[in-house]
Amino acid sequence: QVQLVESGGGLVQPGGSLRLSCAASQQVWDTYIIGWFRQAPGKEREGIICTSESDHRTSYADSVMGRFTVRRGDSKNTMDLYINDLKPDDTAVYTCAASIGPYPCRLQAPTYDFWGRGTQVTVSS
């Protein structure tokens, strides 16, 4: 059982930047696909990024392409989501998830096996 905990959310002004972290209870980056999802109020959950170090692939949703990126964190079991040029439409609960497959990674929630509880990001002036 993999446990995931997100952190780093908060209130940010439009145009600002944020770093969200996903901390795992064990070493997962070499063997699991990691995905980031978000859910805005009244909307369905959206897969925004998935990445796998085993096949060196990262996929982005069109809505975040060019503004969002992921990379390993400073701590051994963390992966960070960097968000730039935040917009009010980015307001959502951001959640990380881990998947054993299939490869290449997908942005569909049913393909993920373990989930964090999420962290709130609010973009407002």
Side-chain angles (χ1 to χ4, degrees):
Q1 190 80 3
V2 177
Q3 296 177 337
L4 303 170
V5 179
E6 303 89 345
S7 62
L11 175 63
V12 186
Q13 292 187 343
S17 298
L18 205 60
R19 182 183 71 173
L20 306 182
S21 291
C22 176
S25 57
Q26 62 192 65
Q27 175 62 267
V28 296
W29 315 132
D30 294 335
T31 56
Y32 285 81
I33 291 166
I34 302 301
W36 280 93
F37 294 78
R38 67 182 181 182
Q39 187 165 20
K43 295 187 178 181
E44 294 185 355
R45 182 165 49 192
E46 174 190 20
I48 55 176
I49 292 179
C50 66
T51 188
S52 169
E53 296 203 355
S54 60
D55 64 357
H56 307 289
R57 292 189 180 188
T58 300
S59 295
Y60 298 85
D62 290 342
S63 58
V64 305
M65 182 76 73
R67 297 189 298 122
F68 288 33
T69 189
V70 290
R71 65 177 71 114
R72 278 206 185 192
D74 294 332
S75 174
K76 180 180 179 180
N77 293 340
T78 60
M79 182 165 284
D80 295 339
L81 173 66
Y82 290 83
I83 310 174
N84 298 311
D85 189 22
L86 278 156
K87 307 176 186 304
D89 285 348
D90 294 321
T91 295
V93 175
Y94 286 73
T95 306
C96 64
S99 169
I100 60 174
Y103 290 81
C105 69
R106 301 177 184 178
L107 297 176
Q108 287 79 38
T111 64
Y112 289 80
D113 306 288
F114 306 103
W115 292 82
R117 294 188 175 184
T119 185
Q120 175 71 46
V121 172
T122 302
V123 184
S124 175
S125 56

